[in-house]
Amino acid sequence: MRDAYHEELDSIGEGLVDMARLVGSAIGRATTAILDSDLKLAESVIEGDKKIDDLQHDLEARAIALLARQQPVATDLRIVVTSLRMSADLERSGDLAQHVAKLARLRFPERAVPHDLHATILEMGQLAQRLMAKTAEVIVTKDVDLAMQLEQDDDAIDLLHRALFQHLMDDRWKHGIETAVDVTLLGRYYERYADHAVAVAKRVVYLVTGEHADELQPEIQPVTGAEGA
Amino acid sequence: MRDAYHEELDSIGEGLVDMARLVGSAIGRATTAILDSDLKLAESVIEGDKKIDDLQHDLEARAIALLARQQPVATDLRIVVTSLRMSADLERSGDLAQHVAKLARLRFPERAVPHDLHATILEMGQLAQRLMAKTAEVIVTKDVDLAMQLEQDDDAIDLLHRALFQHLMDDRWKHGIETAVDVTLLGRYYERYADHAVAVAKRVVYLVTGEHADELQPEIQPVTGAEGA
């Protein structure tokens, strides 16, 4: 019985890794879609989000069944409850990747991102994808040091986000309001995506070290203008 | 034993109602703060968010303790797990109210919202606060019909959100990029706040009717431009 139980517990962990991989791929493809104005790619991300949602529902159902059947306590209980939260974060990251793809579709055949912001958005997209790849690795390895490194990647995204706003607020901005609105939302999508990835990694730290979630929940602030928030 | 148990279960429900009330008050005060450029009020919202976070942590700790000690099954298990999710939604709504307040603080003594959008933001704020008040009522009464009504309020917020974007995209927009960025983010904060309120109410529906969360999770889409997304 205990063996079947730990198999179930492991399969929940595997489900989280599958979700993280799909969500990581989604943000990478969404970024390419918006930079290249690639409608087919955008649509594949939008449709692919259903699979991420399905994985989450499946994972939740298994976690709840496991709670009911096995009634875990102590560490095992903490793992199951925390897994539920991680799956919610990953599902939400998938939504944000989908938002990027939907913006690409909305503006097609135009490009939502002007040339002078291409490099910034590309870098935000790459960092976000890398963050999620590391998060998947943290789930597999439970490597606390790697999880702590994610903070730095997240800081890098925040810096890019600020640079984006500085560029927007610059008097020489010449792309009009619609593009400003698009870029504002895009910046927010990447920032929130990264926040969720970091939150997942930190929940692994919580499971390993037992540190309270208080210190682990990233402070999420609006970044408007160069002066931050 | 069973009695103490149901008392604990009830106290979790009461904790959710307390959170919903604080979060409802927060969005109302944040809206006033941003419309009046009232720094003191903004700061009270920002500081008040800590209390909401504390309530959530307290509620989570009690829910997990209850899972460990009482090992509920079936409906009771579903209530506890769903309560954890509801508390996460409410906590996030509190963050969004705080974001509005932080924007008010950032722009103080200027006003972030131009005169011609004052009425729209006021209405979004009022609707959001009313949504959360109804959500609190749904938690108390488990009134499925009332929960279903929330959809309409949410639709009303989405309409206002679209109107906001239409106004932004209008060629006659004369408030510059910074204000456009602020208004874009504000619109998003209210929309997300409302989504979380509706999500909480729908989780109550799920608990009462057992309907699958698939149909209950609101579809969240970026609304950029009059054409929607």
Side-chain angles (χ1 to χ4, degrees), chain A residues 54 57 60 64 67-68 71-74 77 81 84-85 91-92 95-96 98-99 102-103 105-107 165 168-169 173 176-178 180-182 184-185 188-189 192 212-214 217 219-225 227-229, chain B residues 54 57 60 64 67-68 71-74 77 81 84-85 91-92 95-96 98-99 102-103 105-107 165 168-169 173 176-178 180-182 184-185 188-189 192 212-214 217 219-225 227-229:
Chain A
D54 287 347
H57 288 138
E60 284 188 357
I64 290 171
L67 285 175
Q71 313 205 317
V73 292
L77 173 59
V81 170
L84 284 170
R85 287 187 201 141
E91 189 271 332
R92 185 73 200 129
D95 286 346
L96 290 159
Q98 194 191 33
H99 285 0
K102 280 186 173 173
L103 191 56
R105 182 174 69 180
L106 183 66
R107 296 297 171 226
F165 278 112
L168 274 170
M169 303 296 186
W173 177 264
I177 297 289
E178 183 178 275
V181 168
D182 286 352
T184 299
L185 289 174
R188 181 131 181 100
Y189 298 152
R192 295 289 302 136
H212 198 279
D214 258 11
Q217 190 74 24
E219 171 82 354
I220 296 156
Q221 303 193 335
V223 184
T224 44
E227 63 278 56
Chain B
D54 288 347
H57 288 138
E60 284 187 356
I64 291 170
L67 284 175
Q71 312 205 317
V73 294
L77 173 59
V81 170
L84 284 169
R85 287 187 202 144
E91 190 272 332
R92 184 75 200 129
D95 286 346
L96 290 159
Q98 194 190 33
H99 285 358
K102 282 186 172 171
L103 191 56
R105 184 174 70 180
L106 183 67
R107 296 297 171 227
F165 277 111
L168 274 170
M169 302 295 185
W173 176 263
I177 297 290
E178 182 178 275
V181 168
D182 286 352
T184 300
L185 289 173
R188 179 128 183 105
Y189 298 151
R192 294 291 301 137
H212 198 277
D214 259 11
Q217 190 74 23
E219 171 82 354
I220 296 157
Q221 303 195 334
V223 184
T224 43
E227 63 280 56

Side-chain angles (χ1 to χ4, degrees), chain A residues 27-52:
Chain A
I27 199 72
R29 286 180 300 129
T31 303
T32 304
I34 202 146
L35 292 176
D36 297 354
S37 190
D38 183 332
L39 182 62
K40 280 225 168 119
L41 195 57
E43 280 177 344
S44 83
V45 175
I46 294 162
E47 281 154 31
D49 193 54
K50 206 194 155 313
K51 193 169 174 202
I52 296 166

